[in-house]
Amino acid sequence: MLTLFTVFSIFGGIFLLSRGFYELSITLFVLIFLIDFFIINRKAYPYRYMIPALILLFILVLYPIAFTIRTAFTNYGTGHIMTRQEVVERLLVDPIYTYVIDDGKLYSYNIYVRYEGTQPTTDFKVIVYVGNNPYIARDYRVLKSEAGELILGEAELIKLSESGLRFERQNGRIEIIRDGKKLYKYFYSPDDLSTYINEDFFKYSILFPTLSKVEFTDSLLNRYSIRQDMEGRFTFSQIKHMYKLGLAETVEKGKSVVKTVIINTSTNKPLIEENGTIYDVSESGEKFAVAGYISGYGFKNFTKIFTDPTISGPFTKIFVWNFTWAALSVLFTFVIGLILALVLNDPDLRGKTIYRSLLIIPWAIPAFISVLIWKNGFFNETYGIINKFIVAQLFGGEPIKWMNDPFWAKVAVLTVNTWLGFPYMMVVTLGALQSIPEDYYEAASIDGASKWQRFWKITFPLLMTTVAPLLVGSFAFNFNNFGNIYLLTGGGPAMPNTTTPAGSTDILISYTYKLAFEGGRGQDFGFASAISIIIFFIVGGLSFINFRLSGSFEEVNR
């Protein structure tokens, strides 16, 4: 079983390596080696029980980290999704990159389909008329496909009399074609009005899924295809591919070299490649982008954060707000939680159980429900309780633009986050307060210390010893608190004068999400990955501080 697993996994790793998934293939090879080592080596017997966790660690943690680091140094994003080889293949074979020859003739064609009962199927034959001579297309062969979807097919046109097929005529027209036991009936022709009732089935079941992606060749190697003309008709026309491979002399590093390039068959000019983008040159000399592919980007994703004013400005504002948001969230939740914990810790307070139960409700209710209630019930600018009853009726003021004014939007997100976070701080500080010995307070009272002095000299220092690491952890959590920001304001309102989808309440993680998945000008996974690495180092630094404060490394150091 181990041998079968190893062989199968090695073939899988080789397959991934051949497809360009280098990080995943290396991860798989290392994982295979460790699993085999743990099972074969008797001294590594205890590590066998770690194999499930090891698999999850490599696949769900290490590989995503490696992939993110690699992506951060590329231009991976909208317009740059495929590899160069895939892009070149598309330019050479995709029917999109073809054109109808200006002096090419238009030919009549008929479509014949096989029926199952009274229902037509997608099994079809094509007859093309060159003058009065009928030609039939052989079954097409697939030249290019992706994920089971046809990209390009090719079929040969031969004379109907030489095809070996039997056919039946009625009123001078071929009505039936027999191919062995299969029978194909006359179904559609753009020149026959009586067949227009079948046009929708022809277009949506035969033409668009298949026939529009098939090119037909004759004995002279001319190429034909069904194309839609300016009037919307689908004509059988002679076509030519827009691009081909050829040799051209180029200058690289000051030297003239001859290399294989893509050439425009209409202008005979080679295409230009710059920074992962392929440009064509029109007859007037104007350069325009044709396609893009994934290429190395160096440190450009990192440097443009500081060098591009349209990016550095919003990024700096988001960066500062991110720290402000996390710090104020921790401050507000801790202060309110501490005050409530001091009240609940009072031995003379009655009904503590009821108060504790009520105050812990915001923590018990799922956060996304609470956020949506605040957004629609309180902060709705027209029907919200705050604007409609408190601001308008009680004070007679103008409605507050909670979601459209940057200041009030920040007030809103801090208010909601404080509401959701104070129960946690209350519970933590209440537990810490109850762990402080009463002897300290008795000794301080005998020495004449006031309540305020006892709080600052005894309660707060001992409380911070326990709570400080939790505050750092809370800061790190709020630093990446994507859910509350995204559900409440979506990061808005939008910042002006920026080329990226930056909002006034965006934090780095929501900004990264927008760049990767919601960019108005397309997705930019490379830039988003670069920001993710910056976030990683920030949160990693905070986690290290947390470990130092909590003494997590002390036992290891011993």
Side-chain angles (χ1 to χ4, degrees):
M1 289 179 63
L2 181 62
T3 302
L4 291 175
F5 165 77
T6 303
V7 172
F8 178 78
S9 299
I10 289 176
F11 276 111
I14 295 173
F15 174 79
L16 292 172
L17 192 63
S18 65
R19 293 301 180 96
F21 297 97
Y22 305 113
E23 297 85 1
L24 188 57
S25 60
I26 293 173
T27 301
L28 184 59
F29 285 134
V30 174
L31 192 59
I32 296 169
F33 171 78
L34 291 177
I35 292 175
D36 288 350
F37 178 77
F38 291 159
I39 294 177
I40 295 174
N41 190 351
R42 292 184 178 181
K43 295 182 178 179
Y45 182 85
Y47 295 102
R48 298 179 187 180
Y49 300 101
M50 296 175 57
I51 289 177
L54 193 68
I55 294 173
L56 295 176
L57 173 67
F58 271 72
I59 302 300
L60 300 180
V61 178
L62 298 182
Y63 168 66
I65 291 175
F67 183 79
T68 301
I69 294 174
R70 179 195 178 191
T71 304
F73 295 92
T74 66
N75 61 350
Y76 185 39
T78 299
H80 302 273
I81 297 296
M82 298 182 291
T83 64
R84 184 183 182 278
Q85 181 180 354
E86 292 172 332
V87 170
V88 171
E89 286 181 0
R90 276 190 172 272
L91 291 176
L92 297 178
V93 305
D94 198 317
I96 296 174
Y97 301 104
T98 59
Y99 61 93
V100 177
I101 297 177
D102 292 337
D103 57 351
K105 298 179 180 179
L106 302 181
Y107 304 94
S108 298
Y109 65 94
N110 295 344
I111 304 297
Y112 298 78
V113 302
R114 184 175 59 83
Y115 282 78
E116 290 184 355
T118 59
Q119 297 297 319
T121 68
T122 56
D123 188 3
F124 63 90
K125 295 285 186 182
V126 181
I127 288 183
V128 182
Y129 289 89
V130 180
N132 294 324
N133 298 320
Y135 287 77
I136 191 167
R138 295 184 183 273
D139 293 338
Y140 70 89
R141 58 191 181 93
V142 177
L143 297 181
K144 178 70 175 176
S145 64
E146 286 184 6
E149 181 180 353
L150 177 66
I151 300 297
L152 179 65
E154 186 179 76
E156 181 186 0
L157 290 174
I158 59 173
K159 289 184 179 181
L160 183 59
S161 58
E162 300 175 357
S163 65
L165 302 177
R166 293 180 297 163
F167 54 90
E168 300 177 9
R169 292 180 180 268
Q170 294 181 9
N171 300 323
R173 181 179 65 199
I174 298 175
E175 292 287 341
I176 295 175
I177 299 175
R178 297 181 182 273
D179 185 2
K181 295 182 179 181
K182 294 182 180 180
L183 185 145
Y184 298 85
K185 295 182 180 180
Y186 176 60
F187 186 74
Y188 175 77
S189 172
D191 303 320
D192 187 354
L193 295 177
S194 66
T195 63
Y196 278 21
I197 190 173
N198 299 324
E199 185 176 32
D200 285 345
F201 183 89
F202 165 69
K203 288 194 298 185
Y204 299 111
S205 299
I206 296 176
L207 178 63
F208 294 149
T210 306
L211 202 53
S212 63
K213 303 172 184 177
V214 175
E215 295 180 1
F216 303 88
T217 60
D218 60 16
S219 58
L220 299 177
L221 299 182
N222 294 318
R223 306 190 79 84
Y224 308 86
S225 182
I226 296 179
R227 290 288 182 265
Q228 191 172 18
D229 61 15
M230 299 298 293
E231 298 178 0
R233 297 176 304 176
F234 295 96
T235 61
F236 196 92
S237 312
Q238 187 175 352
I239 63 169
K240 194 172 183 180
H241 279 270
M242 194 175 296
Y243 302 107
K244 66 177 182 179
L245 291 179
L247 297 177
E249 187 175 354
T250 60
V251 177
E252 292 185 357
K253 298 180 180 180
K255 296 182 179 180
S256 179
V257 295
V258 176
K259 59 183 297 186
T260 302
V261 296
I262 307 170
I263 297 176
N264 187 315
T265 57
S266 177
T267 62
N268 287 322
K269 293 182 179 180
L271 274 60
I272 302 171
E273 296 185 36
E274 294 178 355
N275 298 324
T277 303
I278 300 176
Y279 296 92
D280 199 349
V281 181
S282 64
E283 294 181 357
S284 61
E286 183 181 355
K287 188 172 69 172
F288 59 92
V290 174
Y293 55 87
I294 303 171
S295 67
Y297 216 47
F299 288 90
K300 291 181 181 179
N301 285 323
F302 295 91
T303 56
K304 69 180 180 181
I305 295 175
F306 309 101
T307 58
D308 189 342
T310 59
I311 295 177
S312 60
F315 182 85
T316 302
K317 293 179 181 178
I318 292 172
F319 189 79
V320 173
W321 160 244
N322 203 156
F323 273 93
T324 305
W325 148 263
L328 291 180
S329 295
V330 173
L331 177 64
F332 293 158
T333 55
F334 176 66
V335 170
I336 295 175
L338 176 59
I339 293 172
L340 293 174
L342 290 171
V343 173
L344 293 175
N345 197 46
D346 189 345
D348 299 326
L349 180 67
R350 297 181 179 180
K352 292 182 181 180
T353 304
I354 298 175
Y355 294 138
R356 288 175 182 173
S357 300
L358 293 175
L359 291 172
I360 209 171
I361 287 177
W363 194 22
I365 297 176
F368 76 94
I369 294 178
S370 298
V371 173
L372 294 178
I373 290 174
W374 275 93
K375 178 180 180 179
N376 298 294
F378 289 88
F379 295 132
N380 186 286
E381 295 178 7
T382 304
Y383 305 106
I385 293 175
I386 297 177
N387 274 356
K388 188 173 184 179
F389 295 102
I390 299 176
V391 176
Q393 295 187 10
L394 191 60
F395 295 101
E398 292 292 327
I400 298 174
K401 297 180 180 180
W402 292 107
M403 300 301 162
N404 294 299
D405 184 270
F407 173 77
W408 289 111
K410 292 176 180 178
V411 171
V413 294
L414 284 171
T415 302
V416 173
N417 208 43
T418 301
W419 168 261
L420 296 173
F422 82 83
Y424 168 75
M425 289 298 181
M426 181 190 70
V427 172
V428 169
T429 52
L430 184 59
L433 288 173
Q434 292 176 349
S435 66
I436 300 176
E438 289 293 332
D439 297 345
Y440 294 169
Y441 296 107
E442 292 178 3
S445 298
I446 294 173
D447 290 341
S450 63
K451 288 186 177 181
W452 191 251
Q453 290 175 322
R454 290 199 297 269
F455 174 79
W456 284 111
K457 299 295 183 180
I458 299 175
T459 306
F460 193 73
L462 293 176
L463 184 68
M464 290 305 295
T465 302
T466 305
V467 176
L470 298 177
L471 295 180
V472 176
S474 179
F475 183 91
F477 170 79
N478 284 292
F479 195 87
N480 281 331
N481 195 347
F482 170 82
N484 292 356
I485 293 286
Y486 190 77
L487 289 174
L488 189 61
T489 64
M495 287 185 187
N497 303 322
T498 174
T499 58
T500 55
S504 298
T505 57
D506 266 324
I507 56 178
L508 290 175
I509 188 65
S510 65
Y511 182 50
T512 303
Y513 177 83
K514 286 183 177 181
L515 287 170
F517 303 108
E518 291 188 349
R521 300 177 64 181
Q523 293 140 350
D524 194 342
F525 299 111
F527 188 43
S529 297
I531 298 178
S532 298
I533 292 175
I534 294 174
I535 296 174
F536 171 79
F537 281 110
I538 294 173
V539 176
L542 294 174
S543 300
F544 179 77
I545 294 173
N546 190 13
F547 289 141
R548 296 293 295 179
L549 291 176
S550 61
S552 299
F553 293 141
E554 290 182 1
E555 184 176 347
V556 177
N557 291 335
R558 292 199 207 97

